[in-house]
Amino acid sequence: MKVPICQGLALGLWLALSSACVVAGEGEFYQQAAKAAPPSSSSPLTPAMASEAETQAAPASESWNGVWTGVSSSFALPFGEWLDEQRPWYSGWSGGLAAYYPLKDSVMAADPDNNVGGIEGTNPSLTATFKYSPIGNWFATVSLYHYFDGDLQQPWEPDYTYVFGYSDWRPYTLSLIYSNYGGNRFSPEPGESSTYFRRGTWSLGWKFPVPTPWLRPFSIFDDAAMGCQTDFHYTPEYFDLEGDAYLEHGRSLSLGCKYTITGNWYLNFSLFYYPDSAQKQPWSPDFTYGFGYFDWRPFTFSLQYNNYSGNRYPWNPSVDDTGRLKDGALMLAWSWAL
């Protein structure tokens, strides 16, 4: 089974958005963009981090101190947490449930060899996500998927996905995340593996707030805020459509930002750059976008629209059946934390 892996996407955007909990569904970023499964979601900042962006611009010396504090505190290992007798044994677990509804029909050929006949229709799915943070901001996440119509499940749509690494919601911090949103299977076909680790993506990121004075001319509400994250992505092994083969060393850069309109209502976008243009695939987007209502607190609901398809800038050739509003999806999610 050949599954194209999207190697130019901002891994961990959804994970970084959820500092207190991880809501199921981050893999939709990759499933829609690549037609192959590599997510986040939607924003590099939590509301707590967004509050930093709401503050007045600090003097240059204080700003540089903030940058240094954020960078130098990244990847910390606070072993003292394990010695805290007040910490419950179950502490560190969180997750969520999500219902995902694609706006575009899925098509599955009755005869895959000649693509004759077949079935089509929308194929909603449910996702259950479990996240464990053993220490500090280090974490591991597993998401389990159920498709309402199993016959319409595409080869790149996973039975499960997994993510691990370090991500701190605070501004000016670094993150390092491995994500695998490929067509992972509990019961793979003969000769296939349940998962291919080298086809996952490593992402090194850095978060930063946008100063409030820069936003005021464009904002209607006083609590408007914006935070961004830049990432370098590396995929050891990615699928090249033209060569119909897996190649090595996929690389890309991204800049993702979330604009909080007011309260929990937001808009987000991500821009992508591929240092080697030959590595850019039809499903690799120039940009992605989303909007909706997101509440980072546990035991709350969120409603979002996200479009991670192969969106193109006006000066770049478009790809058929991608980059349209209906190529996006709706997601209703509920989160929890222990």
Side-chain angles (χ1 to χ4, degrees):
M1 177 180 65
K2 291 182 177 178
V3 181
I5 300 300
C6 185
Q7 37 73 30
L9 303 176
L11 295 229
L13 292 186
W14 176 273
L15 291 174
L17 177 60
S18 318
S19 65
C21 56
V22 170
V23 182
E26 70 269 15
E28 311 309 340
F29 184 101
Y30 298 93
Q31 294 165 17
Q32 292 303 301
K35 288 304 176 187
S40 123
S41 111
S42 56
S43 166
L45 299 185
T46 63
M49 182 175 176
S51 67
E52 294 283 346
E54 295 176 9
T55 59
Q56 295 289 339
S61 59
E62 293 183 20
S63 297
W64 281 113
N65 287 338
V67 172
W68 172 246
T69 298
V71 172
S72 62
S73 65
S74 300
F75 309 116
L77 290 168
F79 292 109
E81 292 182 1
W82 290 340
L83 303 177
D84 185 0
E85 296 180 355
Q86 304 282 330
R87 184 182 183 184
W89 64 268
Y90 53 79
S91 178
W93 284 97
S94 59
L97 302 172
Y100 165 76
Y101 187 83
L103 302 183
K104 184 175 70 172
D105 287 350
S106 296
V107 178
M108 182 63 74
D111 184 350
D113 292 331
N114 56 26
N115 203 32
V116 174
I119 57 175
E120 65 178 277
T122 56
N123 191 16
S125 61
L126 297 176
T127 305
T129 294
F130 304 89
K131 174 187 176 184
Y132 179 58
S133 299
I135 184 172
N137 293 298
W138 297 88
F139 71 93
T141 299
V142 173
S143 295
L144 310 178
Y145 294 77
H146 170 74
Y147 301 89
F148 283 74
D149 190 339
D151 292 334
L152 282 173
Q153 182 180 356
Q154 304 294 322
W156 53 81
E157 293 179 327
D159 291 343
Y160 67 94
T161 61
Y162 54 100
V163 183
F164 61 84
Y166 178 93
S167 181
D168 189 335
W169 60 267
R170 294 175 301 163
Y172 307 121
T173 55
L174 297 169
S175 61
L176 180 62
I177 296 174
Y178 169 87
S179 300
N180 192 309
Y181 295 110
N184 304 311
R185 290 288 184 268
F186 289 119
S187 299
E189 297 292 333
E192 297 285 339
S193 295
S194 176
T195 186
Y196 293 88
F197 189 81
R198 282 176 51 80
R199 297 175 190 175
T201 301
W202 296 91
S203 294
L204 177 63
W206 183 66
K207 303 175 183 68
F208 60 94
V210 176
T212 302
W214 295 6
L215 300 176
R216 282 177 177 164
F218 312 100
S219 302
I220 300 175
F221 301 97
D222 293 337
D223 60 343
M226 179 180 284
C228 298
Q229 176 167 324
T230 181
D231 285 270
F232 169 74
H233 313 286
Y234 174 73
T235 304
E237 187 177 273
Y238 70 97
F239 185 77
D240 178 66
L241 183 63
E242 183 176 355
D244 192 28
Y246 283 95
L247 304 180
E248 295 189 342
H249 309 308
R251 301 177 303 278
S252 64
L253 299 169
S254 67
L255 171 66
C257 295
K258 176 192 175 185
Y259 173 66
T260 301
I261 303 170
T262 185
N264 294 319
W265 296 93
Y266 75 93
L267 299 169
N268 70 273
F269 66 88
S270 294
L271 310 177
F272 299 89
Y273 171 71
Y274 306 88
D276 184 351
S277 60
Q279 294 184 348
K280 186 177 180 181
Q281 304 300 313
W283 53 80
S284 303
D286 289 344
F287 66 93
T288 65
Y289 61 95
F291 55 85
Y293 178 92
F294 179 81
D295 193 334
W296 61 271
R297 296 170 301 173
F299 309 109
T300 58
F301 286 93
S302 298
L303 179 63
Q304 305 177 346
Y305 167 86
N306 289 297
N307 191 311
Y308 301 117
S309 63
N311 302 303
R312 292 286 182 266
Y313 298 129
W315 55 87
N316 285 339
S318 60
V319 179
D320 292 340
D321 299 326
T322 189
R324 304 162 299 183
L325 186 67
K326 74 173 186 177
D327 293 313
L330 298 173
M331 183 169 64
L332 176 65
W334 176 81
S335 62
W336 59 268
L338 298 180

